Amino acid sequence: MTKNKRSINITIKRLFKWYLPVIALILGMMLVYCWYLSIQIDKRFSGRRWSIPSKVYSDTTILYPGQKINRVLFNEKLWHLGYRKVTHKPEEKGELRISMSSMEIYLHDFKVPSRYKEGVPVNIRFDKDRIISIVNSITDQPMSIMELEPEEVMLFFGPKRERRLLVSIDQVPMNVIHAVLAAEDHRFYEHKGLDPRGILRAIYTDLRHGSFKQGGSTITQQLAKNYFLTPKRTLIRKLKELFMSLTIERLYKKNEILEIYLNEIYMGQNGSEAINGIGEASIFYFGKAVEELSLAEAATLGGLIRAPNYYSPYIDKSRCRKRRNVVLNAMYKQGWISDEELRTTLPLPVKTVGYAAYRKKAPYFMDYLSDQLTALYSPQDLSSLGLKIYTTLDTQVQIAAENALKKGLETLEKSNPALSRTDPQKKLQGAIIVMQPKTGYVLAMVGGRNYSVSQFNRITQARRQPGSAFKPFVYLSGLDQFTPASILSNKPVTYEIDGKEWTPKNYTPMTEECVTVRDALAKSINLATVDLAMQVGIDHIVKTARSLGFSTPMKPYPSIALGSFEVIPLELARAYCPFAADGVLPFPLTLKSVLDENGNILEQRHMTINEVMTPGKAFLISSLLQSVVEKGTASSLRDFGITYPVAAKTGTTNDYRDAWFVGYTPDILALIWVGFDDGAPIYATGSKAALPIWADLMNALPQYVAGGWFRMPQGVVRGMICSENRQTAAKDKCPHPMEEYFLADHIPEGYCPTYGHENSFKRIINGIKGFFNTF
C-alpha cells in the first residue's frame, strides 16, 4: 500500500515537473494570442468598420397647385422612390393610393443639405394632368408647395459590391432585436461569447454525420467569423473563432457587439450587389426604415439571417412565411411577445415592397459627374466613405429624353431604310442635353443611343460642325450695327479663302435679292448671313464665340458664319443659355453638394455666372429665334402640338452629316443632335431629324412648360414699322404696319416717306430724356 502511494506521488511529481510547464506555456501562448487578437480587433473596430459606397442622388421634385405633370412619368418616379400601392387609405410612410382624379401619398421623411422634411400624408387632386390642389391629410390645410425626396441613381461600389445602411442600436426596435435573438442566439445577454449548450449540441450533430453540419455559433462567434475569418469550416478556423469571440466579449459591451452584428450580417442579394445589415434589408424587402418595421416584418428579417437567399420572400414567399412563423413562436417561447400578438401575426401573409435589379441610371450623366468627382476624391474614397452626392439630375426629364431619342431614331430608320445598320457600333446615333438656362443645371444628358454598346458621350466628347445652329451668334455679333429690320444682301458672292474661292449657297433657291435680319435668321438664309458676317467682321464673330465659352479651334474664315468649325455639343447648348437668361452665361452644373456620412457638407457648388451680353441683346435674339418657330425653319413644331412660345434654331451641315435642333423657353433648354459617328449622311435636315425628337421630349415635360414668354427688359423699345420699306410708320396711316423690337440706342434713323411721320422711336426716346432733364 505504501509502495502504491509512493508510486502515485512520484507520478504526480513528474506531472508537475513536466506537464505543468507545458500547460503554463500553452496558457501563456493563449494569453499572448488573445492579447494579439485584442490589438487587431480594437484596431479594426475603432477605425472605419465598413466600406460604405457613396450614393448619388437626383434633385428633389417640386409640385404645386396649377402645375401640369406627366402622370405616367410621375407614377414611375414614385415607384423608384419606394412608394408602394395600397387599396386602403395610406397609413404608413411610403404608402400610395391612386385614382383617376386623385393621389393619396404618405410621404417619406428625408434630409437634404440645409433642410429636413418630415413625411406627412397628402392628398393631390387632379383635373386630367393639372394639379388642382394639394392638401395635408392630417391638418386638412392646403399646401402651396410639396417636395419629394431625391432619388438614388448610382452607387460607387467597392470590389465586394456591398450595400449597407448603418443603424445604431438605439434606432432598432425591440421587436427586431428579439426576432434576431430568437432566431440566432436567445442566450446572447447571458453567455460570455460561447454557449456551451449550443456547442455540445453542434458537436453531437457533427459526430453523428461525420462532418461539420451544425453550427453552435453565438452572435459573437458569427460576428468574429463574418468580420475576420473565411466561411470555410475547419478545426483551426473554429478555434480562431472561439478565441476571437472571448476577446470581443472582454473588449466590448453586449449592445456594442449586437450593433456591429446587425450592421454586418449578410441579408440577401439584389443582382450583383449584396444586401448587408438590418438597415439596408429593411429598405430592400419592405421599403421602410428599420424603426418603422412591424412585428411580422421584424420576424421575417430575423428568419432570413440563417439562409437569406433560401428563405428570401422574393424567391419563395411560402417558405419565407414558414420560417417567419418559426421565429414568432421562438419569440413567444422567450416571453418577448404576447399570446395575442402571436395569434394575430401568424396568419399574416409576407408582403414585400418589390425591387428592381441595380443599374446605373442616366449613365452618360453619371460618367460626366464621375469625372468631376474624381478631381475631388479618389476612387477608393468614393467606394468606402459613404458620401451623399446630390446632383441637378431630374429623373423624369432623363427618362423622357431617353425615350424621345429612342423613338426618334427608330422613326428615322423606318422612314429611310438606308439609315438602318446591323452593326450596333455603327448604328444611327443621337444625343440630348437638357438644361435650366438661368442656373446652368443639367437636368438630363443622353450621350448616345445605347450605353451598353458605346460609352462615348456625344454631348461632352464629340466634336461636330453645328451648321446653321451657330448662326444666332453671328447675328448677336451684329446687333451693335444692325436691327431686326435692317436689310441684308441675298445675292451670291464669291470669297477667297487661303487662295481658294468659296461661293456660299442657300439651302433652297430664292428670288429675293434683299431680306431683313429677322427673316434671314428665321429662314436660315445662308447668303444673307454671310453678308452680315462680312460687314460685322469675322474676327468679331470669333471673339463673340470665345466669350460664350466655345473652346474648339475657330479660324476667321467667312464660312464660320455657316457653322463650319467643329464644336462640343455641351458648349453649344451652354452658349444658347444667355439668350434665355438676360445675357448671363452659366456654368453647366451637375454637382450640387457632397455630404459625409454624418451629414456634414464637404462640397457645395453654387451658380457661376458671367454676363456676356446685355439683357436687351438677349431679348432681341430670343425674339428673332421665336420667328424661326413662327414662320421659319422650325414652323413644323405646331404640327407636333407645340403651341406655346418657343425660341429655336435648326441646324444642318454639308452632305447632311449632322442634324441639330436647339430650342428653349424661359424655363428649359434642350439640344438635340442626330448623325452617324463616322460622318455618313443621314439624308435629313435638322427640322426633319432633330426637331421631332425635341417636340416629343417637351410634350412629355408639361411641368417645365408654363407657356409664358420673356419680359421686355429696359434698353429695348417696341414700335411700328412699314413692312414694305422697314422704316418707322404710323399704325393709323400705314396699310402694312408691323411691330418690331429695337435696342433703345440703336433705332431706325429714317421714317416711311409714304405712310410715316416724324420718327416715333425718336419721339419716345426724346420724351424720356426730357422727363429726366426736368429733375
Side-chain angles (χ1 to χ4, degrees):
M1 198 72 180
T2 306
K3 187 177 180 179
N4 289 337
K5 286 184 178 180
R6 190 181 299 116
S7 177
I8 292 171
N9 289 335
I10 291 171
T11 302
I12 293 172
K13 287 179 180 179
R14 284 177 179 175
L15 285 172
F16 272 94
K17 183 178 180 180
W18 297 105
Y19 295 107
L20 190 60
V22 173
I23 294 171
L25 179 62
I26 292 172
L27 290 174
M29 291 174 66
M30 290 171 61
L31 288 173
V32 170
Y33 184 59
C34 288
W35 174 76
Y36 167 76
L37 289 177
S38 68
I39 294 174
Q40 298 302 311
I41 291 168
D42 184 62
K43 182 180 179 181
R44 182 77 185 273
F45 281 176
S46 61
R48 175 168 291 280
R49 293 172 180 170
W50 297 280
S51 291
I52 310 295
S54 297
K55 293 183 178 180
V56 181
Y57 295 91
S58 71
D59 205 350
T60 58
T61 301
I62 303 295
L63 300 176
Y64 53 87
Q67 182 186 33
K68 291 185 72 176
I69 66 170
N70 183 324
R71 292 188 66 176
V72 173
L73 287 180
F74 184 64
N75 290 347
E76 189 173 347
K77 172 86 173 179
L78 292 173
W79 186 77
H80 287 146
L81 289 172
Y83 289 91
R84 54 200 181 277
K85 289 183 181 180
V86 295
T87 55
H88 56 80
K89 185 175 182 179
E91 299 170 350
E92 296 182 358
K93 291 173 183 177
E95 290 187 336
L96 164 70
R97 183 166 69 172
I98 301 175
S99 69
M100 290 294 293
S101 60
S102 69
M103 182 179 289
E104 296 170 273
I105 313 174
Y106 206 129
L107 299 174
H108 290 136
D109 300 337
F110 72 90
K111 185 178 182 180
V112 292
S114 77
R115 64 189 184 280
Y116 169 77
K117 292 277 187 177
E118 184 175 356
V120 295
V122 298
N123 189 339
I124 307 174
R125 296 190 61 80
F126 296 96
D127 179 10
K128 296 181 180 179
D129 289 338
R130 187 180 296 278
I131 298 174
I132 299 174
S133 64
I134 306 174
V135 176
N136 184 316
S137 299
I138 295 177
T139 63
D140 217 26
Q141 293 296 311
M143 300 169 64
S144 59
I145 196 167
M146 184 189 108
E147 189 173 17
L148 277 176
E149 66 268 28
E151 181 180 338
E152 181 188 297
V153 289
M154 194 185 81
L155 291 92
F156 284 95
F157 281 116
K160 294 183 179 179
R161 294 186 67 82
E162 293 179 341
R163 288 183 70 117
R164 184 180 276 105
L165 178 63
L166 299 182
V167 294
S168 71
I169 194 68
D170 296 329
Q171 289 177 260
V172 184
M174 288 308 299
N175 275 340
V176 176
I177 292 174
H178 288 153
V180 172
L181 297 182
E184 296 299 315
D185 185 2
H186 67 273
R187 298 184 65 248
F188 172 72
Y189 283 100
E190 299 170 23
H191 61 66
K192 299 298 182 181
L194 303 179
D195 186 359
R197 297 179 196 173
I199 293 172
L200 290 173
R201 184 176 63 250
I203 291 172
Y204 171 74
T205 304
D206 291 343
L207 288 173
R208 196 175 67 176
H209 288 88
S211 62
F212 293 103
K213 292 285 185 182
Q214 175 73 44
S217 299
T218 64
I219 279 177
T220 314
Q221 287 176 269
Q222 291 182 48
L223 178 60
K225 178 185 68 176
N226 295 337
Y227 210 87
F228 296 98
L229 305 171
T230 65
K232 187 177 181 181
R233 292 186 174 186
T234 64
L235 182 60
I236 297 297
R237 196 225 70 188
K238 195 68 179 177
L239 287 173
K240 286 182 179 179
E241 179 187 303
L242 294 176
F243 282 119
M244 280 191 165
S245 301
L246 293 170
T247 306
I248 289 171
E249 289 274 350
R250 278 194 63 84
L251 291 174
Y252 297 96
K253 295 178 181 178
K254 286 288 187 179
N255 277 358
E256 289 180 280
I257 295 170
L258 185 58
E259 179 178 286
I260 298 171
Y261 174 81
L262 291 174
N263 284 303
E264 170 62 25
I265 47 175
Y266 172 69
M267 295 294 290
Q269 200 75 20
N270 179 6
S272 64
E273 55 182 312
I275 306 300
N276 286 78
I278 210 80
E280 191 66 47
S282 301
I283 301 295
F284 178 63
Y285 290 108
F286 303 112
K288 57 178 70 174
V290 68
E291 301 96 315
E292 300 169 9
L293 292 176
S294 67
L295 172 59
E297 292 163 344
T300 301
L301 293 187
L304 288 176
I305 298 172
R306 182 163 297 177
N309 295 315
Y310 181 75
Y311 291 117
S312 171
Y314 291 129
I315 295 174
D316 190 328
K317 282 195 175 181
S318 175
R319 189 160 57 207
C320 177
R321 183 170 174 268
K322 288 178 182 178
R323 175 63 182 159
R324 180 204 68 186
N325 288 351
V326 168
V327 175
L328 286 169
N329 279 303
M331 293 173 73
Y332 174 72
K333 183 179 178 181
Q334 295 299 322
W336 290 331
I337 60 173
S338 67
D339 183 71
E340 174 68 15
E341 287 175 313
L342 179 67
R343 186 178 60 81
T344 56
T345 309
L346 283 175
L348 295 177
V350 176
K351 293 182 178 179
T352 54
V353 70
Y355 75 99
Y358 172 79
R359 70 177 184 90
K360 184 166 67 172
K361 301 172 186 175
Y364 293 103
F365 181 102
M366 291 303 148
D367 282 356
Y368 181 64
L369 174 73
S370 297
D371 289 341
Q372 295 175 306
L373 286 171
T374 50
L376 302 171
Y377 305 98
S378 70
Q380 183 179 356
D381 286 344
L382 289 171
S383 65
S384 65
L385 296 183
L387 305 176
K388 293 181 175 64
I389 300 161
Y390 294 93
T391 71
T392 61
L393 181 71
D394 185 323
T395 53
Q396 293 182 82
V397 179
Q398 180 68 31
I399 292 171
E402 291 171 357
N403 292 343
L405 184 63
K406 180 177 183 292
K407 177 184 173 183
L409 296 182
E410 288 175 352
T411 300
L412 282 169
E413 289 171 334
K414 288 178 182 177
S415 64
N416 185 356
L419 299 179
S420 297
R421 295 183 179 180
T422 56
D423 186 347
Q425 295 284 351
K426 297 181 179 180
K427 277 185 170 290
L428 180 64
Q429 282 291 347
I432 298 177
I433 184 169
V434 186
M435 301 177 68
Q436 283 184 339
K438 292 181 175 64
T439 62
Y441 286 0
V442 177
L443 304 179
M445 182 184 291
V446 187
R449 183 173 192 162
N450 188 331
Y451 182 81
S452 63
V453 173
S454 170
Q455 292 79 53
F456 180 70
N457 191 337
R458 292 155 189 83
I459 289 294
T460 62
Q461 295 173 296
R463 296 189 175 199
R464 309 289 300 208
Q465 290 182 341
S468 295
F470 188 81
K471 287 178 180 176
F473 314 116
V474 178
Y475 287 80
L476 171 66
S477 303
L479 286 182
D480 288 326
Q481 298 172 235
F482 296 86
T483 73
S486 297
I487 303 298
L488 299 173
S489 171
N490 192 34
K491 297 177 181 179
V493 178
T494 298
Y495 302 93
E496 187 173 308
I497 304 172
D498 289 342
K500 296 180 180 179
E501 291 186 344
W502 176 66
T503 306
K505 297 178 181 179
N506 288 327
Y507 177 72
T508 55
M510 296 181 63
T511 57
E512 297 94 331
E513 292 187 349
C514 296
V515 293
T516 65
V517 164
R518 182 175 291 277
D519 287 343
L521 184 55
K523 298 174 183 177
S524 202
I525 301 173
N526 291 341
L527 296 180
T529 303
V530 175
D531 177 52
L532 173 67
M534 296 305 291
Q535 293 188 63
V536 169
I538 303 301
D539 287 331
H540 183 45
I541 293 170
V542 173
K543 183 178 178 182
T544 298
R546 291 282 176 245
S547 72
L548 291 166
F550 288 105
S551 63
T552 47
M554 292 183 181
K555 295 183 179 180
Y557 294 162
S559 60
I560 194 176
L562 306 183
S564 61
F565 291 100
E566 293 177 339
V567 299
I568 298 169
L570 174 61
E571 293 181 352
L572 182 61
R574 181 196 183 200
Y576 270 79
C577 286
F579 302 148
D582 290 328
V584 170
L585 178 70
F587 183 82
L589 274 180
T590 54
L591 176 65
K592 293 182 76 173
S593 57
V594 179
L595 278 64
D596 66 16
E597 58 189 340
N598 298 315
N600 301 311
I601 296 176
L602 302 178
E603 300 284 339
Q604 190 146 21
R605 295 295 176 93
H606 301 283
M607 287 190 302
T608 303
I609 57 175
N610 179 31
E611 187 172 2
V612 292
M613 66 189 77
T614 65
K617 288 182 178 179
F619 179 83
L620 280 191
I621 294 296
S622 291
S623 174
L624 293 174
L625 293 178
Q626 186 180 18
S627 294
V628 176
V629 176
E630 291 178 342
K631 61 180 181 178
T633 57
S635 59
S636 61
L637 270 182
R638 288 189 295 271
D639 300 333
F640 294 93
I642 305 296
T643 57
Y644 47 84
V646 173
K649 187 69 189 79
T650 55
T652 310
T653 58
N654 288 342
D655 300 323
Y656 301 99
R657 290 190 181 97
D658 304 90
W660 299 86
F661 190 82
V662 188
Y664 63 90
T665 70
D667 301 311
I668 193 168
L669 179 148
L671 173 147
I672 316 292
W673 169 83
V674 177
F676 283 105
D677 286 339
D678 61 8
I682 66 169
Y683 309 107
T685 62
S687 60
K688 296 295 184 182
L691 179 151
I693 297 173
W694 190 94
D696 193 30
L697 170 61
M698 289 299 121
N699 284 331
L701 302 173
Q703 66 269 36
Y704 280 100
V705 181
W709 190 241
F710 300 98
R711 179 186 58 83
M712 188 175 74
Q714 290 184 344
V716 175
V717 294
R718 177 172 52 194
M720 303 305 299
I721 62 172
C722 176
S723 62
E724 292 186 354
N725 54 40
R726 305 292 166 170
Q727 296 293 318
T728 303
K731 185 176 181 180
D732 56 341
K733 296 181 180 180
C734 178
H736 306 289
M738 172 182 157
E739 191 175 71
E740 188 54 275
Y741 294 100
F742 299 92
L743 296 177
D745 57 355
H746 191 51
I747 58 177
E749 292 293 330
Y751 62 94
C752 178
T754 307
Y755 307 113
H757 50 75
E758 180 189 353
N759 192 315
S760 59
F761 294 109
K762 290 290 186 183
R763 285 208 323 270
I764 293 171
I765 298 303
N766 290 334
I768 293 173
K769 289 180 179 178
F771 173 76
F772 283 107
N773 286 337
T774 60
F775 292 93

